[in-house]
Structures are given as structure tokens and as C-alpha cells.
Amino acid sequence: MGYRTNNKLPLIEKAPNNNGVYQILFSKALAKINCKLAVIRAPKKRILYMLKKGEIDFYPGLGFNDERAEFTHYFENGLHYRAATISRSDVDDLKSFADMRGKTLLISQGANYDKKDLKGVYIRYVYDLSIGKAIELISSEQADFYAYNEDVMLYYLSKYPTKEIKIHQCCSKDHPMYLGFSLRSKHIDLLRNPLFKQYEDLSFSNQKHQLTKESIAYQFQQALQTLDSNGETAKIWRQYNTVNMHEGTVATSTNENNNQP
């Protein structure tokens, strides 16, 4: 597994520590197929390059886009993802990305965003951006917004509460988290997907390939499905994610729509 260096608890600690949901979940799944987990940490752009070259096997939570689909096969990892947005506490509640127009949104180098959602929004790319750094930039009025995994934001803000920051439950809905497996990994074997619709857009549900049942990647996928279906994934998540989302000193708005960053 390859992952960026930042802290993303409850999923993973800051490098070089790898404790968290990812390590427990994937270690359990791989043990079921007589494999062991090794973790490589580096800046995200470097990790994505290694994924493309087959130098690492998978990235644990990877947003789908056409470019990544050229070197990655996607399957669900059993976890779920929902984005939220932080701002200074005096900002009005966000209803959609359109409310950010004319303002500056922080984005980490290598992050996956649909540019059509960000029309009229100024983008500031930051190398290996962390939540702490984003809060610092927003608090000092060097940026206005930062969108990221809601559970991770709430976990961080429960540990480092501040009244200067407001969290908006916008502009995403809960959806399965995808694992990206390198097409050049020695542990993958593929067949042409007979259900692939050539004249439709690439998507998670319309990928060019499918895994052969003999490949390690397929066995890994099946092991993750088993952990999910028998409740072990949820148990691991609860073990680490102990944040009560309705408590703390962070202002919260509850608007949401169907957009997914």
C-alpha cells in the first residue's frame, strides 16, 4: 500500500507511523489470503506515480477519474466517504460549490476534483496539504475554504478544537470509498470487461477490465467484501472513530446537496 505522508486519523497516522483503520482493515483482509501488508509513505504525487508504474500495488482511498483509470482498477474497500468544507466561523452556510465563487479554495497537489463544480472559484494548490495547515491558512485569511473527508476533519477538530473555524456539511453525500489497484502490479490479472460500454463515459461502474478470479487482487477484493458483510469493517471503524459529531467547539452547518468533490 502506498499513501501520502500526512496524518489522516482515524484512517492513518502521520508518517512514519501507520496506525489506524487502514492498517488494521487491510492487514486483516490480506491475512485471509496469506499475504502481508507493507506500507510506503511519500507525497501524494510521488505515490500516484509509483502506482502508475506498479512500484506499489494499491492506494487505499482513491477518487475516480479518467486519467487514473488508465493505470488503476477500482473496487470498494468497505469504508464510506463524505466530504465537508471548512471556513472561517463568520462565513454564511454553504449550499453548493457555487457559493464559493470569487473565493479561494485550498486543494492539495494530486487531489481529485471535478473542475466544472469549481467554475468561478480561485484554486490554491498546496504541496502535501494537511488539515492543520489548511486551518492556519484560512484563519490568517490567506484562503477561504478547504474541502476534505468529513470524518477526518471532525476527528482532527475534536483533538484541536477552535472557535475560529466552521464546518459546512457541503458539498457531498455519503458514498463508498474506492481502492485503486495498479494495473502494472504483479498481483493483478485482468480480463476485458464484457459489460463495458464503449460509448459511455468511464466510471467506477463502467471500467474497461475486470479481475480474474485467480489474481491476488481479486482475492483481496473478496476478503474486503467478507469483512464488510460480516460487520468486522464497521467494528474496526468504530474502534478508531470515536468522535461524537454533535459535540465540540466547532461551528457546524448542515446544508448538503448531491455534488461530490
Side-chain angles (χ1 to χ4, degrees), residues 46-98:
R46 173 63 183 170
I47 290 293
L48 291 178
Y49 175 82
M50 295 174 74
L51 187 70
K52 184 175 182 178
K53 296 296 183 181
E55 296 173 10
I56 58 173
D57 298 299
F58 71 94
Y59 193 94
L62 191 65
F64 187 98
N65 66 35
D66 290 357
E67 180 183 354
R68 293 172 179 176
E70 293 299 320
F71 59 87
T72 307
H73 181 78
Y74 289 84
F75 53 84
E76 294 181 10
N77 66 14
L79 300 171
H80 284 256
Y81 176 89
R82 172 187 165 110
T85 303
I86 56 172
S87 71
R88 288 180 294 279
S89 57
D90 59 352
V91 172
D92 292 339
D93 289 354
L94 295 177
K95 296 181 176 65
S96 70
F97 280 116

Tab-separated table of all heavy atoms in Angstrom, residues 46-98:
chain	number	residue	atom	x	y	z
A	46	ARG	N	4.018	11.641	-5.790
A	46	ARG	CA	5.006	10.568	-5.913
A	46	ARG	C	4.334	9.199	-5.787
A	46	ARG	O	4.638	8.264	-6.548
A	46	ARG	CB	6.088	10.733	-4.841
A	46	ARG	CG	7.089	9.579	-4.757
A	46	ARG	CD	7.895	9.422	-6.029
A	46	ARG	NE	8.783	8.270	-5.952
A	46	ARG	CZ	9.463	7.775	-6.977
A	46	ARG	NH1	9.372	8.345	-8.167
A	46	ARG	NH2	10.239	6.725	-6.825
A	47	ILE	N	3.407	9.073	-4.834
A	47	ILE	CA	2.711	7.807	-4.643
A	47	ILE	C	1.880	7.450	-5.879
A	47	ILE	O	1.863	6.290	-6.327
A	47	ILE	CB	1.820	7.860	-3.387
A	47	ILE	CG1	2.685	7.882	-2.117
A	47	ILE	CG2	0.854	6.684	-3.350
A	47	ILE	CD1	3.471	6.612	-1.864
A	48	LEU	N	1.223	8.429	-6.468
A	48	LEU	CA	0.433	8.168	-7.678
A	48	LEU	C	1.328	7.760	-8.842
A	48	LEU	O	0.953	6.903	-9.659
A	48	LEU	CB	-0.400	9.392	-8.048
A	48	LEU	CG	-1.550	9.726	-7.093
A	48	LEU	CD1	-2.277	10.983	-7.547
A	48	LEU	CD2	-2.532	8.567	-6.962
A	49	TYR	N	2.513	8.355	-8.923
A	49	TYR	CA	3.479	7.955	-9.955
A	49	TYR	C	3.905	6.496	-9.737
A	49	TYR	O	3.989	5.720	-10.696
A	49	TYR	CB	4.700	8.879	-9.907
A	49	TYR	CG	5.804	8.476	-10.866
A	49	TYR	CD1	5.753	8.826	-12.212
A	49	TYR	CD2	6.901	7.734	-10.415
A	49	TYR	CE1	6.750	8.449	-13.096
A	49	TYR	CE2	7.907	7.355	-11.290
A	49	TYR	CZ	7.828	7.722	-12.631
A	49	TYR	OH	8.829	7.334	-13.504
A	50	MET	N	4.160	6.129	-8.490
A	50	MET	CA	4.552	4.752	-8.170
A	50	MET	C	3.415	3.773	-8.472
A	50	MET	O	3.649	2.648	-8.924
A	50	MET	CB	4.965	4.655	-6.702
A	50	MET	CG	6.212	5.456	-6.356
A	50	MET	SD	6.573	5.472	-4.577
A	50	MET	CE	7.194	3.795	-4.369
A	51	LEU	N	2.177	4.207	-8.223
A	51	LEU	CA	1.020	3.379	-8.547
A	51	LEU	C	0.944	3.150	-10.056
A	51	LEU	O	0.702	2.030	-10.521
A	51	LEU	CB	-0.251	4.065	-8.048
A	51	LEU	CG	-1.562	3.286	-8.151
A	51	LEU	CD1	-1.589	2.135	-7.158
A	51	LEU	CD2	-2.756	4.221	-7.908
A	52	LYS	N	1.177	4.205	-10.813
A	52	LYS	CA	1.148	4.113	-12.274
A	52	LYS	C	2.208	3.152	-12.795
A	52	LYS	O	1.976	2.399	-13.753
A	52	LYS	CB	1.346	5.503	-12.882
A	52	LYS	CG	1.247	5.563	-14.392
A	52	LYS	CD	1.346	7.000	-14.876
A	52	LYS	CE	1.187	7.083	-16.396
A	52	LYS	NZ	1.243	8.498	-16.869
A	53	LYS	N	3.375	3.164	-12.171
A	53	LYS	CA	4.486	2.325	-12.616
A	53	LYS	C	4.430	0.905	-12.038
A	53	LYS	O	5.241	0.057	-12.403
A	53	LYS	CB	5.818	2.976	-12.229
A	53	LYS	CG	6.079	4.319	-12.913
A	53	LYS	CD	6.197	4.146	-14.425
A	53	LYS	CE	6.540	5.461	-15.111
A	53	LYS	NZ	6.631	5.302	-16.593
A	54	GLY	N	3.521	0.648	-11.121
A	54	GLY	CA	3.443	-0.669	-10.496
A	54	GLY	C	4.450	-0.867	-9.384
A	54	GLY	O	4.681	-2.003	-8.944
A	55	GLU	N	5.048	0.216	-8.890
A	55	GLU	CA	6.021	0.125	-7.801
A	55	GLU	C	5.330	-0.069	-6.453
A	55	GLU	O	5.962	-0.498	-5.484
A	55	GLU	CB	6.896	1.381	-7.787
A	55	GLU	CG	7.742	1.525	-9.051
A	55	GLU	CD	8.484	2.854	-9.103
A	55	GLU	OE1	8.483	3.573	-8.082
A	55	GLU	OE2	9.046	3.177	-10.162
A	56	ILE	N	4.055	0.305	-6.370
A	56	ILE	CA	3.203	-0.065	-5.248
A	56	ILE	C	1.970	-0.743	-5.840
A	56	ILE	O	1.673	-0.584	-7.018
A	56	ILE	CB	2.786	1.143	-4.378
A	56	ILE	CG1	2.046	2.183	-5.217
A	56	ILE	CG2	3.977	1.754	-3.671
A	56	ILE	CD1	1.449	3.312	-4.401
A	57	ASP	N	1.270	-1.503	-5.019
A	57	ASP	CA	0.124	-2.267	-5.524
A	57	ASP	C	-1.188	-1.498	-5.475
A	57	ASP	O	-1.985	-1.583	-6.409
A	57	ASP	CB	-0.010	-3.572	-4.733
A	57	ASP	CG	1.209	-4.459	-4.889
A	57	ASP	OD1	1.503	-4.857	-6.022
A	57	ASP	OD2	1.882	-4.739	-3.871
A	58	PHE	N	-1.408	-0.754	-4.373
A	58	PHE	CA	-2.703	-0.074	-4.295
A	58	PHE	C	-2.633	1.184	-3.441
A	58	PHE	O	-1.738	1.362	-2.614
A	58	PHE	CB	-3.784	-1.025	-3.749
A	58	PHE	CG	-3.654	-1.374	-2.286
A	58	PHE	CD1	-4.335	-0.645	-1.317
A	58	PHE	CD2	-2.875	-2.448	-1.872
A	58	PHE	CE1	-4.231	-0.976	0.036
A	58	PHE	CE2	-2.768	-2.794	-0.535
A	58	PHE	CZ	-3.441	-2.046	0.427
A	59	TYR	N	-3.606	2.056	-3.709
A	59	TYR	CA	-3.839	3.258	-2.918
A	59	TYR	C	-5.191	3.060	-2.243
A	59	TYR	O	-6.173	2.739	-2.914
A	59	TYR	CB	-3.843	4.503	-3.810
A	59	TYR	CG	-3.774	5.808	-3.056
A	59	TYR	CD1	-2.552	6.435	-2.828
A	59	TYR	CD2	-4.925	6.426	-2.578
A	59	TYR	CE1	-2.480	7.636	-2.145
A	59	TYR	CE2	-4.859	7.633	-1.883
A	59	TYR	CZ	-3.635	8.225	-1.675
A	59	TYR	OH	-3.562	9.415	-0.988
A	60	PRO	N	-5.299	3.242	-0.929
A	60	PRO	CA	-6.469	2.754	-0.185
A	60	PRO	C	-7.774	3.481	-0.448
A	60	PRO	O	-8.836	2.872	-0.393
A	60	PRO	CB	-6.039	2.906	1.272
A	60	PRO	CG	-5.011	3.986	1.251
A	60	PRO	CD	-4.283	3.813	-0.035
A	61	GLY	N	-7.728	4.789	-0.679
A	61	GLY	CA	-8.940	5.563	-0.931
A	61	GLY	C	-8.685	6.535	-2.056
A	61	GLY	O	-8.094	7.593	-1.848
A	62	LEU	N	-9.110	6.183	-3.275
A	62	LEU	CA	-8.725	6.944	-4.466
A	62	LEU	C	-9.964	7.360	-5.243
A	62	LEU	O	-10.757	6.522	-5.675
A	62	LEU	CB	-7.816	6.096	-5.356
A	62	LEU	CG	-7.120	6.813	-6.509
A	62	LEU	CD1	-6.129	7.855	-5.991
A	62	LEU	CD2	-6.396	5.806	-7.401
A	63	GLY	N	-10.130	8.671	-5.423
A	63	GLY	CA	-11.240	9.170	-6.222
A	63	GLY	C	-11.087	8.777	-7.681
A	63	GLY	O	-9.985	8.761	-8.226
A	64	PHE	N	-12.196	8.457	-8.324
A	64	PHE	CA	-12.171	8.010	-9.719
A	64	PHE	C	-12.067	9.202	-10.656
A	64	PHE	O	-12.768	10.195	-10.514
A	64	PHE	CB	-13.446	7.218	-10.041
A	64	PHE	CG	-13.423	6.587	-11.419
A	64	PHE	CD1	-13.072	5.259	-11.567
A	64	PHE	CD2	-13.736	7.326	-12.549
A	64	PHE	CE1	-13.035	4.680	-12.829
A	64	PHE	CE2	-13.704	6.761	-13.808
A	64	PHE	CZ	-13.349	5.430	-13.952
A	65	ASN	N	-11.171	9.104	-11.643
A	65	ASN	CA	-11.208	9.987	-12.811
A	65	ASN	C	-10.614	9.248	-14.002
A	65	ASN	O	-9.985	8.199	-13.853
A	65	ASN	CB	-10.529	11.342	-12.552
A	65	ASN	CG	-9.040	11.245	-12.309
A	65	ASN	OD1	-8.344	10.411	-12.891
A	65	ASN	ND2	-8.526	12.101	-11.431
A	66	ASP	N	-10.838	9.786	-15.205
A	66	ASP	CA	-10.434	9.093	-16.433
A	66	ASP	C	-8.931	8.862	-16.494
A	66	ASP	O	-8.476	7.799	-16.933
A	66	ASP	CB	-10.869	9.901	-17.665
A	66	ASP	CG	-12.373	9.903	-17.860
A	66	ASP	OD1	-13.065	9.228	-17.072
A	66	ASP	OD2	-12.857	10.584	-18.780
A	67	GLU	N	-8.154	9.857	-16.060
A	67	GLU	CA	-6.695	9.735	-16.121
A	67	GLU	C	-6.214	8.589	-15.232
A	67	GLU	O	-5.397	7.757	-15.653
A	67	GLU	CB	-6.035	11.050	-15.695
A	67	GLU	CG	-4.523	11.012	-15.727
A	67	GLU	CD	-3.893	12.306	-15.240
A	67	GLU	OE1	-4.634	13.280	-14.991
A	67	GLU	OE2	-2.652	12.328	-15.091
A	68	ARG	N	-6.704	8.524	-14.014
A	68	ARG	CA	-6.291	7.458	-13.098
A	68	ARG	C	-6.774	6.090	-13.570
A	68	ARG	O	-6.116	5.078	-13.333
A	68	ARG	CB	-6.819	7.754	-11.697
A	68	ARG	CG	-6.180	8.979	-11.048
A	68	ARG	CD	-6.880	9.315	-9.752
A	68	ARG	NE	-6.271	10.470	-9.092
A	68	ARG	CZ	-6.744	11.018	-7.980
A	68	ARG	NH1	-7.822	10.521	-7.402
A	68	ARG	NH2	-6.151	12.069	-7.442
A	69	ALA	N	-7.928	6.055	-14.243
A	69	ALA	CA	-8.480	4.785	-14.712
A	69	ALA	C	-7.607	4.142	-15.788
A	69	ALA	O	-7.723	2.945	-16.048
A	69	ALA	CB	-9.891	4.993	-15.250
A	70	GLU	N	-6.701	4.920	-16.392
A	70	GLU	CA	-5.795	4.370	-17.401
A	70	GLU	C	-4.708	3.501	-16.773
A	70	GLU	O	-4.091	2.687	-17.459
A	70	GLU	CB	-5.159	5.505	-18.217
A	70	GLU	CG	-6.145	6.263	-19.094
A	70	GLU	CD	-6.816	5.367	-20.120
A	70	GLU	OE1	-6.131	4.487	-20.695
A	70	GLU	OE2	-8.032	5.530	-20.344
A	71	PHE	N	-4.474	3.656	-15.472
A	71	PHE	CA	-3.430	2.838	-14.828
A	71	PHE	C	-3.909	2.183	-13.529
A	71	PHE	O	-3.123	1.582	-12.800
A	71	PHE	CB	-2.162	3.663	-14.557
A	71	PHE	CG	-2.344	4.882	-13.678
A	71	PHE	CD1	-2.259	4.786	-12.293
A	71	PHE	CD2	-2.582	6.136	-14.237
A	71	PHE	CE1	-2.413	5.902	-11.479
A	71	PHE	CE2	-2.737	7.256	-13.435
A	71	PHE	CZ	-2.653	7.143	-12.054
A	72	THR	N	-5.216	2.272	-13.262
A	72	THR	CA	-5.745	1.787	-11.994
A	72	THR	C	-7.063	1.043	-12.199
A	72	THR	O	-7.910	1.482	-12.968
A	72	THR	CB	-6.009	2.967	-11.026
A	72	THR	OG1	-4.833	3.762	-10.905
A	72	THR	CG2	-6.416	2.464	-9.661
A	73	HIS	N	-7.230	-0.071	-11.494
A	73	HIS	CA	-8.523	-0.737	-11.422
A	73	HIS	C	-9.118	-0.447	-10.053
A	73	HIS	O	-8.433	-0.535	-9.028
A	73	HIS	CB	-8.384	-2.254	-11.609
A	73	HIS	CG	-9.687	-2.975	-11.564
A	73	HIS	ND1	-10.554	-2.994	-12.632
A	73	HIS	CD2	-10.294	-3.673	-10.567
A	73	HIS	CE1	-11.630	-3.687	-12.301
A	73	HIS	NE2	-11.508	-4.110	-11.061
A	74	TYR	N	-10.401	-0.116	-10.041
A	74	TYR	CA	-11.058	0.300	-8.803
A	74	TYR	C	-11.985	-0.779	-8.258
A	74	TYR	O	-12.695	-1.443	-9.016
A	74	TYR	CB	-11.903	1.554	-9.056
A	74	TYR	CG	-11.118	2.815	-9.301
A	74	TYR	CD1	-10.618	3.126	-10.561
A	74	TYR	CD2	-10.890	3.722	-8.267
A	74	TYR	CE1	-9.913	4.301	-10.792
A	74	TYR	CE2	-10.194	4.901	-8.481
A	74	TYR	CZ	-9.708	5.178	-9.744
A	74	TYR	OH	-9.012	6.331	-9.961
A	75	PHE	N	-11.986	-0.922	-6.922
A	75	PHE	CA	-13.041	-1.670	-6.255
A	75	PHE	C	-13.271	-1.081	-4.869
A	75	PHE	O	-12.423	-0.349	-4.341
A	75	PHE	CB	-12.765	-3.182	-6.200
A	75	PHE	CG	-11.439	-3.605	-5.628
A	75	PHE	CD1	-11.248	-3.737	-4.260
A	75	PHE	CD2	-10.380	-3.919	-6.478
A	75	PHE	CE1	-10.028	-4.151	-3.744
A	75	PHE	CE2	-9.165	-4.350	-5.976
A	75	PHE	CZ	-8.989	-4.466	-4.600
A	76	GLU	N	-14.431	-1.367	-4.286
A	76	GLU	CA	-14.779	-0.801	-2.985
A	76	GLU	C	-13.922	-1.426	-1.889
A	76	GLU	O	-13.625	-2.617	-1.936
A	76	GLU	CB	-16.265	-1.031	-2.689
A	76	GLU	CG	-17.182	-0.280	-3.637
A	76	GLU	CD	-18.662	-0.499	-3.325
A	76	GLU	OE1	-18.960	-1.076	-2.251
A	76	GLU	OE2	-19.506	-0.110	-4.151
A	77	ASN	N	-13.543	-0.604	-0.899
A	77	ASN	CA	-12.724	-1.132	0.203
A	77	ASN	C	-13.542	-1.412	1.468
A	77	ASN	O	-12.991	-1.848	2.480
A	77	ASN	CB	-11.557	-0.195	0.517
A	77	ASN	CG	-11.981	1.152	1.083
A	77	ASN	OD1	-13.125	1.335	1.499
A	77	ASN	ND2	-11.058	2.106	1.092
A	78	GLY	N	-14.849	-1.159	1.423
A	78	GLY	CA	-15.712	-1.433	2.561
A	78	GLY	C	-15.998	-0.232	3.450
A	78	GLY	O	-16.881	-0.289	4.307
A	79	LEU	N	-15.241	0.860	3.245
A	79	LEU	CA	-15.453	2.087	4.009
A	79	LEU	C	-16.315	3.051	3.194
A	79	LEU	O	-16.607	2.808	2.030
A	79	LEU	CB	-14.105	2.729	4.347
A	79	LEU	CG	-13.149	1.871	5.171
A	79	LEU	CD1	-11.772	2.522	5.257
A	79	LEU	CD2	-13.711	1.617	6.572
A	80	HIS	N	-16.699	4.154	3.835
A	80	HIS	CA	-17.506	5.156	3.138
A	80	HIS	C	-16.842	6.530	3.263
A	80	HIS	O	-16.019	6.767	4.153
A	80	HIS	CB	-18.926	5.198	3.710
A	80	HIS	CG	-19.761	4.042	3.257
A	80	HIS	ND1	-20.725	4.158	2.298
A	80	HIS	CD2	-19.738	2.739	3.608
A	80	HIS	CE1	-21.280	2.979	2.073
A	80	HIS	NE2	-20.698	2.096	2.875
A	81	TYR	N	-17.220	7.408	2.352
A	81	TYR	CA	-16.595	8.732	2.275
A	81	TYR	C	-17.667	9.793	2.090
A	81	TYR	O	-18.619	9.609	1.336
A	81	TYR	CB	-15.625	8.785	1.095
A	81	TYR	CG	-14.992	10.144	0.870
A	81	TYR	CD1	-13.801	10.487	1.503
A	81	TYR	CD2	-15.592	11.076	0.033
A	81	TYR	CE1	-13.226	11.738	1.304
A	81	TYR	CE2	-15.024	12.327	-0.172
A	81	TYR	CZ	-13.839	12.650	0.465
A	81	TYR	OH	-13.276	13.887	0.278
A	82	ARG	N	-17.488	10.883	2.791
A	82	ARG	CA	-18.315	12.072	2.591
A	82	ARG	C	-17.422	13.276	2.834
A	82	ARG	O	-16.676	13.311	3.825
A	82	ARG	CB	-19.494	12.084	3.566
A	82	ARG	CG	-20.302	13.389	3.571
A	82	ARG	CD	-21.322	13.354	4.694
A	82	ARG	NE	-21.854	14.687	4.949
A	82	ARG	CZ	-23.100	15.055	4.660
A	82	ARG	NH1	-23.935	14.188	4.130
A	82	ARG	NH2	-23.521	16.272	4.930
A	83	ALA	N	-17.461	14.246	1.952
A	83	ALA	CA	-16.644	15.445	2.104
A	83	ALA	C	-17.414	16.514	2.864
A	83	ALA	O	-18.643	16.577	2.818
A	83	ALA	CB	-16.221	15.977	0.738
A	84	ALA	N	-16.677	17.340	3.568
A	84	ALA	CA	-17.218	18.536	4.198
A	84	ALA	C	-16.241	19.674	3.913
A	84	ALA	O	-15.125	19.452	3.440
A	84	ALA	CB	-17.388	18.333	5.697
A	85	THR	N	-16.666	20.889	4.186
A	85	THR	CA	-15.854	22.071	3.880
A	85	THR	C	-15.688	22.914	5.138
A	85	THR	O	-16.653	23.111	5.882
A	85	THR	CB	-16.525	22.910	2.784
A	85	THR	OG1	-16.729	22.111	1.624
A	85	THR	CG2	-15.665	24.118	2.409
A	86	ILE	N	-14.480	23.401	5.375
A	86	ILE	CA	-14.260	24.316	6.491
A	86	ILE	C	-14.014	25.731	5.972
A	86	ILE	O	-13.550	25.934	4.850
A	86	ILE	CB	-13.086	23.887	7.397
A	86	ILE	CG1	-11.790	23.733	6.594
A	86	ILE	CG2	-13.439	22.629	8.156
A	86	ILE	CD1	-10.569	23.489	7.486
A	87	SER	N	-14.368	26.697	6.811
A	87	SER	CA	-14.159	28.111	6.511
A	87	SER	C	-13.944	28.838	7.828
A	87	SER	O	-14.008	28.238	8.909
A	87	SER	CB	-15.384	28.697	5.804
A	87	SER	OG	-16.476	28.801	6.714
A	88	ARG	N	-13.752	30.139	7.764
A	88	ARG	CA	-13.768	30.925	8.991
A	88	ARG	C	-15.194	30.908	9.558
A	88	ARG	O	-16.171	30.738	8.822
A	88	ARG	CB	-13.299	32.361	8.717
A	88	ARG	CG	-11.800	32.454	8.452
A	88	ARG	CD	-11.344	33.882	8.192
A	88	ARG	NE	-11.908	34.414	6.960
A	88	ARG	CZ	-11.412	34.151	5.741
A	88	ARG	NH1	-10.347	33.359	5.614
A	88	ARG	NH2	-11.972	34.668	4.680
A	89	SER	N	-15.313	31.086	10.847
A	89	SER	CA	-16.594	30.898	11.520
A	89	SER	C	-17.643	31.946	11.142
A	89	SER	O	-18.842	31.731	11.348
A	89	SER	CB	-16.400	30.894	13.036
A	89	SER	OG	-15.775	32.096	13.461
A	90	ASP	N	-17.222	33.090	10.562
A	90	ASP	CA	-18.179	34.140	10.222
A	90	ASP	C	-18.753	34.002	8.809
A	90	ASP	O	-19.519	34.853	8.356
A	90	ASP	CB	-17.536	35.520	10.383
A	90	ASP	CG	-16.297	35.716	9.502
A	90	ASP	OD1	-15.855	34.733	8.875
A	90	ASP	OD2	-15.783	36.845	9.451
A	91	VAL	N	-18.422	32.934	8.104
A	91	VAL	CA	-18.895	32.723	6.733
A	91	VAL	C	-20.294	32.116	6.768
A	91	VAL	O	-20.588	31.236	7.581
A	91	VAL	CB	-17.925	31.792	5.965
A	91	VAL	CG1	-18.501	31.400	4.613
A	91	VAL	CG2	-16.579	32.481	5.795
A	92	ASP	N	-21.168	32.602	5.884
A	92	ASP	CA	-22.525	32.065	5.794
A	92	ASP	C	-22.507	30.597	5.390
A	92	ASP	O	-21.566	30.117	4.740
A	92	ASP	CB	-23.346	32.847	4.764
A	92	ASP	CG	-23.642	34.276	5.200
A	92	ASP	OD1	-23.583	34.538	6.419
A	92	ASP	OD2	-23.919	35.122	4.323
A	93	ASP	N	-23.567	29.878	5.743
A	93	ASP	CA	-23.665	28.460	5.408
A	93	ASP	C	-23.571	28.244	3.893
A	93	ASP	O	-24.188	28.971	3.113
A	93	ASP	CB	-24.996	27.880	5.897
A	93	ASP	CG	-25.061	27.761	7.406
A	93	ASP	OD1	-24.045	28.024	8.067
A	93	ASP	OD2	-26.145	27.400	7.907
A	94	LEU	N	-22.790	27.236	3.509
A	94	LEU	CA	-22.659	26.877	2.097
A	94	LEU	C	-23.781	25.930	1.695
A	94	LEU	O	-24.098	24.987	2.416
A	94	LEU	CB	-21.315	26.191	1.847
A	94	LEU	CG	-20.046	27.009	2.053
A	94	LEU	CD1	-18.823	26.115	1.836
A	94	LEU	CD2	-20.000	28.195	1.108
A	95	LYS	N	-24.337	26.163	0.507
A	95	LYS	CA	-25.334	25.261	-0.051
A	95	LYS	C	-24.771	24.454	-1.216
A	95	LYS	O	-25.239	23.366	-1.515
A	95	LYS	CB	-26.559	26.038	-0.506
A	95	LYS	CG	-27.309	26.744	0.618
A	95	LYS	CD	-28.518	27.475	0.075
A	95	LYS	CE	-29.332	28.116	1.200
A	95	LYS	NZ	-28.586	29.173	1.899
A	96	SER	N	-23.758	25.005	-1.895
A	96	SER	CA	-23.147	24.329	-3.044
A	96	SER	C	-21.793	24.980	-3.326
A	96	SER	O	-21.444	26.015	-2.734
A	96	SER	CB	-24.033	24.441	-4.286
A	96	SER	OG	-24.044	25.777	-4.772
A	97	PHE	N	-21.046	24.388	-4.269
A	97	PHE	CA	-19.773	24.980	-4.662
A	97	PHE	C	-19.971	26.375	-5.253
A	97	PHE	O	-19.059	27.199	-5.219
A	97	PHE	CB	-19.071	24.082	-5.687
A	97	PHE	CG	-18.360	22.910	-5.076
A	97	PHE	CD1	-18.772	21.616	-5.357
A	97	PHE	CD2	-17.280	23.084	-4.235
A	97	PHE	CE1	-18.120	20.520	-4.804
A	97	PHE	CE2	-16.621	22.010	-3.666
A	97	PHE	CZ	-17.046	20.721	-3.957
A	98	ALA	N	-21.144	26.643	-5.794
A	98	ALA	CA	-21.408	27.964	-6.384
A	98	ALA	C	-21.260	29.074	-5.350
A	98	ALA	O	-20.903	30.216	-5.697
A	98	ALA	CB	-22.802	27.993	-6.997
